[in-house]
Amino acid sequence: MPKNKGKGGKNRRRGKNENDREKRELIFKEDGQEYAQVVKMLGNGRLEAMCFDGVKRLCHIRGKLRKKVWINQADIILIGLRDYQDAKADVIMKYNAEEARNLKLYGELPDSAKINDMDMMGNNPDEGEIMFDDISDAAVPQQETRDYVISSSEEESESEEEDEPVQTYNKETKKSGINVDAI
C-alpha cells in the first residue's frame, strides 16, 4: 500500500476559512442583477427573496456558494435575473453586514432596507421578550393547614395538658420520624 504523503484529506481543507477575515472589494450590481433580502429559506439550495425592485423571487443558490457560504434569513444578497423567467433568479453573492451598510451609504440600497437581525424584528428591542407580572402574596390563595394532636393515649394527653402544652403537628412542616396519616 502506498504511503500518504499529504497533510490531511478533504476535511482538513474544508476547515480552513482564511479568506473570511480579509476585506474584499465591494461589488456593485450590473445589468441583469439586483439586490435582494432573504425572506425565507426553502431548502434544497433554494430561498425566497424580496428584491429591492419590489418583486418577490424564488432564488437558487449556485454551487460555488452552496456549502462554503451560509445564507440565512434577512441577509442581503446579489442575485442574477433570468431573461426567460422573471419570478426566478440565481444567487451570485452574499454581502456581510459591513458591506451591506456600505451599500446603503453609497445609495445602492434603499433607506428602508433592514441590514441586521435586530432591525428585522423592529425598532423595539423588547418586542421579542415575554414579560411576566409579579404576583403578590395576597393574590395567592393560602392552603388550609390542619393541626393534629400527637399522643399515645388520652391519659398521657391529660397529664401533659397540666404540665406542658400539647404538641401539635402542622402538615406543611413535617417532622421526621412520625407518621401522622397513619393515626
Side-chain angles (χ1 to χ4, degrees):
M1 245 180 137
K3 289 187 176 183
N4 292 332
K5 295 181 181 178
K7 296 192 179 183
K10 70 177 183 179
N11 289 335
R12 183 174 183 273
R13 286 191 300 273
R14 185 180 290 170
K16 289 185 178 180
N17 231 357
E18 296 168 356
N19 297 336
D20 199 25
R21 307 276 184 249
E22 294 177 12
K23 235 181 178 179
R24 60 183 182 194
E25 185 179 332
L26 191 60
I27 298 173
F28 296 105
K29 73 175 183 176
E30 298 171 1
D31 291 336
Q33 296 178 348
E34 187 64 44
Y35 299 112
Q37 188 166 21
V38 178
V39 176
K40 184 192 233 181
M41 295 300 294
L42 299 175
N44 199 21
R46 295 178 302 141
L47 57 93
E48 191 174 287
M50 186 66 182
C51 298
F52 291 117
D53 62 356
V55 179
K56 191 179 274 192
R57 290 186 171 94
L58 178 70
C59 300
H60 178 262
I61 302 171
R62 64 190 215 148
K64 184 178 178 182
L65 302 176
R66 203 166 204 169
K67 289 191 177 177
K68 293 175 176 62
V69 179
W70 293 103
I71 299 175
N72 299 315
Q73 191 172 348
D75 284 342
I76 305 293
I77 56 175
L78 179 65
I79 60 172
L81 302 175
R82 295 181 180 177
D83 296 333
Y84 51 94
Q85 291 175 318
D86 191 43
K88 293 186 179 180
D90 300 302
V91 178
I92 296 173
M93 74 171 297
K94 171 193 165 187
Y95 293 105
N96 59 28
E98 183 182 340
E99 291 171 337
R101 279 192 284 280
N102 288 338
L103 284 173
K104 199 171 185 178
L105 287 174
Y106 291 136
E108 293 286 321
L109 297 179
D111 293 332
S112 63
K114 312 253 191 269
I115 292 175
N116 56 7
D117 293 333
M118 292 302 285
D119 290 341
M120 187 75 175
M121 293 295 207
N123 294 334
N124 188 0
D126 296 332
E127 188 173 309
E129 295 180 8
I130 299 172
M131 299 299 292
F132 294 99
D133 295 333
D134 291 333
I135 300 175
S136 65
D137 292 335
V140 178
Q142 294 293 327
Q143 289 184 344
E144 188 177 308
T145 59
R146 297 180 185 157
D147 293 333
Y148 297 100
V149 176
I150 301 172
S151 63
S152 59
S153 67
E154 290 183 31
E155 295 173 4
E156 290 179 10
S157 65
E158 290 176 9
S159 64
E160 285 179 1
E161 286 177 14
E162 296 169 1
D163 299 339
E164 300 177 34
V166 177
Q167 187 180 23
T168 60
Y169 176 77
N170 190 342
K171 199 168 189 176
E172 287 182 283
T173 58
K174 290 186 178 180
K175 295 180 182 178
S176 62
I178 302 172
N179 187 0
V180 176
D181 295 331
I183 298 176

